[in-house]
């Protein structure tokens, strides 16, 4: 092998390594986005219809804590859905541009088979994206891709970017791009986070959220 060949080989190996290393290097997914104003009127709480909000939701020291029991009632009397306690972001339903949800989430060990974040609105389905915590603390996209093998008992930064124009979504955990998915149709969308029980949900489900931001980019 000539010296030049050798140099070329070493260089390309180095570049490959650099590419792999840089793709797992945390970035700030909010760069270039505008953060929209939020106040309590933008946080609409969904909870079991027969209970007051304070029985399933608290807001202390900047932390929204939401919990629900598998045997709880759904959000409305005749709803066939599983129980939930969720923040539904209100006032920012969208149908164009690029939108982003940012929040720091925390899921205690034991909470399982539950959706903790949603991009609502799709067609014919109800949702464009569901992030779900499975049996052993996995964070998954619906029941398919694993985004994090063990999400329990730590604060993680979640960024979900929904490019409506391109019908494309990106999910970042702690600034690292973990997953990309196509959109699922629908004319309008909004963000939700909290706990929404799924089949085989654990007896008790909880997630905490802080630093929630809704961001937007139109260009
Ligand atoms: C919250 O913001 C909305 C507009 O986004 C405004 O109309 C409302 O008065 C605000 N409420 C409070 C309590 O600041
Ligand atoms: C969860 O972990 C247990 C113990 O390691 C294992 O037996 C079980 O198959 C796992 N369940 C799932 C759904 O991965
Ligand atoms: C979650 O669902 C799986 C699959 O249905 C089930 O095996 C498991 O026991 C459930 N986990 C909990 C904690 O309920």
């Amino acid at each position: 092998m000539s010296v030049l060949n050798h140099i070329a080989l070493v260089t390309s190996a180095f570049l490959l390594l650099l590419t792999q290393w840089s793709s797992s290097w945390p970035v700030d997914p909010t760069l270039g986005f505008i953060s929209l104003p939020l106040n309590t009127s933008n946080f609409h709480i969904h909870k079991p219809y027969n209970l007051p909000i304070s029985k399933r939701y608290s807001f202390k020291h900047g932390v929204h804590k939401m919990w629900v029991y598998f045997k709880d009632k759904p959000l409305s009397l005749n709803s066939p859905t599983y129980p939930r306690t969720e923040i539904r972001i209100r006032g920012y339903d969208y149908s164009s541009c690029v939108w982003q949800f940012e929040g720091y989430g925390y899921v205690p060990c034991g909470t399982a088979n539950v959706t903790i974040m949603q991009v609502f609105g799709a067609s014919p389905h109800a949702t464009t994206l569901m992030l779900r915590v499975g049996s052993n603390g996995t964070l998954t996209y619906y029941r398919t891709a694993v985004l994090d093998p063990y999400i329990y008992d730590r604060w993680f930064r979640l960024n979900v970017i929904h490019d409506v124009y391109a019908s494309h979504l990106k999910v970042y955990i702690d600034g690292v791009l973990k997953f990309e998915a196509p959109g699922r149709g629908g004319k309008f969308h909004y963000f939700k986070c909290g706990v929404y029980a799924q089949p085989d949900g654990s007896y008790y489900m909880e997630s905490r959220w802080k630093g929630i931001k809704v961001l937007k980019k139109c260009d």
Side-chain angles (χ1 to χ4, degrees), residues 4-18:
L4 271 180
N5 271 341
H6 196 79
I7 290 172
L9 203 71
V10 170
T11 309
S12 59
F14 175 74
L15 283 177
L16 186 72
L17 217 77
L18 194 71

Side-chain angles (χ1 to χ4, degrees), residues 17-94:
L17 217 77
L18 194 71
T19 312
Q20 284 174 352
W21 172 78
S22 62
S23 71
S24 62
W25 190 251
V27 297
D28 182 358
T30 67
L31 284 179
F33 282 77
I34 294 163
S35 183
L36 301 168
L38 288 175
N39 64 35
T40 51
S41 72
N42 300 107
F43 295 84
H44 182 62
I45 311 296
H46 284 175
K47 42 88 193 164
Y49 72 84
N50 61 333
L51 296 173
I53 288 178
S54 62
K55 294 281 188 211
R56 294 292 180 271
Y57 168 86
S58 72
F59 183 59
K60 282 183 199 141
H61 310 299
V63 178
H64 304 268
K65 179 175 155 184
M66 287 166 273
W67 64 99
V68 83
Y69 292 86
F70 192 67
K71 291 280 165 63
D72 276 346
K73 303 283 190 208
L75 85 165
S76 62
L77 183 56
N78 294 311
S79 170
T81 61
Y82 288 99
R84 72 184 80 202
T85 304
E86 288 184 299
I87 291 172
R88 182 253 202 255
I89 298 292
R90 193 164 59 179
Y92 291 123
D93 291 11
Y94 60 90

Side-chain angles (χ1 to χ4, degrees), residues 110-113 132-136 143 152 199-203:
T111 288
N113 299 334
R132 188 178 186 280
V133 173
S135 294
N136 290 349
R143 288 167 178 276
Y152 286 153
D200 286 317
S202 51
Y203 170 76

Side-chain angles (χ1 to χ4, degrees), residues 36 42 87-101 117-130 142 160-169 181-192 214-216:
L36 301 168
N42 300 107
I87 291 172
R88 182 253 202 255
I89 298 292
R90 193 164 59 179
Y92 291 123
D93 291 11
Y94 60 90
S95 52
S96 61
C97 296
V98 186
W99 286 73
Q100 178 169 181
F101 171 91
M117 194 272 165
Q118 307 190 47
V119 176
F120 201 83
S123 177
H125 306 282
T127 62
T128 282
L129 172 135
M130 275 181 153
Y142 293 98
V160 175
I161 297 178
H162 183 191
D163 185 335
V164 181
Y165 295 137
S167 188
H168 188 79
L169 293 104
R184 285 157 50 99
K187 288 204 163 43
F188 77 98
H189 309 276
Y190 55 82
F191 299 123
K192 303 183 88 179
V214 174
L215 307 102
K216 182 184 179 181

